[in-house]
Amino acid sequence: MVCGGRLDVTPGPQELRVQTGGISKTLDFVVNPKDYPEQRITLADKSKVELSPEDEARADREYNAIIELKHHWRAAKDTDLALILPVKGELSSQFGLRRFFNDEPRSPHSGIDLAVKRGTPVKASARGRVLAVGNYFFNGKTVFIDHGNGLITMYCHLDRISVKAGQRVRKGQRIGLSGMTGRATGPHLHLSVVLNGAMVDPELFLPAIHHQ
Ligand SMILES: [Zn+2]
């Protein structure tokens, strides 16, 4: 069971209700507060920090569209939870990092960053179906893969996308090339893992990654 990693949970007692074959059980557990480290980033391109009204409207629209994608649900016989790294690279930014862009507080880091050169092939972390592809103001060129049962992976800042919405992908299949589209200070792959609509720590599902 994975219950850690969700960023917006209030620390304290929580309940997990499990229903299977007509039997219902309630399990109690406690969420402890976690202090995520802080990161301060300076962006020379101020237009990615202080948005124009047009960019603000675009970012809002995309934010809502992305929320809808994250809540997509497809029942599947089984979901592969043993994700593989989409690229071989060191971890340059961890999940939950509290970030400041040009001293302005921003939402915490909703995934992990893997440092790789632009043009590095990016692989699907598990088999699934391409839920959507898009080019977003903040996330840049992005692929969403639906692995079934509420598990979705997101690959952001891609230079090139080589899959289409609706397409089935194998684990390890190339889905595009890494880059720095959207708001990125350098080339890297941003990977997010969504479980039942909540952003969770990708490292919970991945083999050990070397931290920079
Ligand atoms: Zn990132």
Side-chain angles (χ1 to χ4, degrees):
M1 180 187 67
V2 177
C3 52
R6 186 172 158 168
L7 280 172
D8 55 356
V9 157
T10 312
Q14 297 276 345
E15 269 184 2
L16 176 72
R17 276 183 295 278
V18 183
Q19 267 184 311
T20 172
I23 302 163
S24 165
K25 211 176 167 185
T26 302
L27 304 167
D28 296 313
F29 66 99
V30 175
V31 173
N32 293 317
K34 178 164 178 172
D35 243 340
Y36 287 104
E38 221 178 78
Q39 183 185 39
R40 288 177 183 270
I41 296 167
T42 305
L43 286 173
D45 180 3
K46 288 200 172 56
S47 70
K48 295 275 183 194
V49 182
E50 295 154 28
L51 306 194
S52 68
E54 294 78 29
D55 286 344
E56 187 91 56
R58 177 185 165 191
D60 277 355
R61 266 198 316 275
E62 293 177 353
Y63 178 79
N64 290 320
I66 290 170
I67 285 195
E68 214 163 286
L69 289 171
K70 285 184 197 164
H71 285 87
H72 174 82
W73 171 270
R74 175 178 62 92
K77 240 188 240 152
D78 61 328
T79 291
D80 183 3
L81 295 171
L83 302 185
I84 58 163
L85 277 169
V87 290
K88 258 194 217 125
E90 294 195 344
L91 192 117
S92 57
S93 179
Q94 70 185 81
F95 176 80
L97 210 60
R98 294 178 295 133
R99 296 181 305 174
F100 297 78
F101 288 106
N102 300 0
D103 289 327
E104 301 261 359
R106 284 294 179 269
S107 48
H109 196 212
S110 62
I112 57 168
D113 291 345
L114 295 159
V116 279
K117 288 202 301 258
R118 183 177 155 192
T120 304
V122 176
K123 297 171 190 160
S125 279
R127 69 171 180 278
R129 263 184 224 174
V130 178
L131 177 63
V133 296
N135 190 0
Y136 302 98
F137 184 78
F138 290 122
N139 293 330
K141 290 186 184 169
T142 300
V143 174
F144 294 80
I145 300 181
D146 168 21
H147 305 285
N149 303 316
L151 185 74
I152 292 163
T153 50
M154 278 174 76
Y155 310 77
C156 306
H157 308 304
L158 300 177
D159 197 56
R160 212 179 284 172
I161 293 173
S162 51
V163 287
K164 290 197 175 81
Q167 186 181 330
R168 281 172 195 273
V169 290
R170 299 181 313 276
K171 189 177 195 167
Q173 183 176 334
R174 187 195 285 204
I175 57 168
L177 299 176
S178 69
M180 53 177 296
T181 53
R183 184 169 70 185
T185 47
H188 69 278
L189 177 77
H190 171 106
L191 172 71
S192 278
V193 176
V194 186
L195 190 61
N196 298 331
M199 311 305 280
V200 294
D201 187 351
E203 287 197 83
L204 295 167
F205 300 86
L206 288 164
I209 314 169
H210 188 266
H211 288 224
Q212 258 182 4

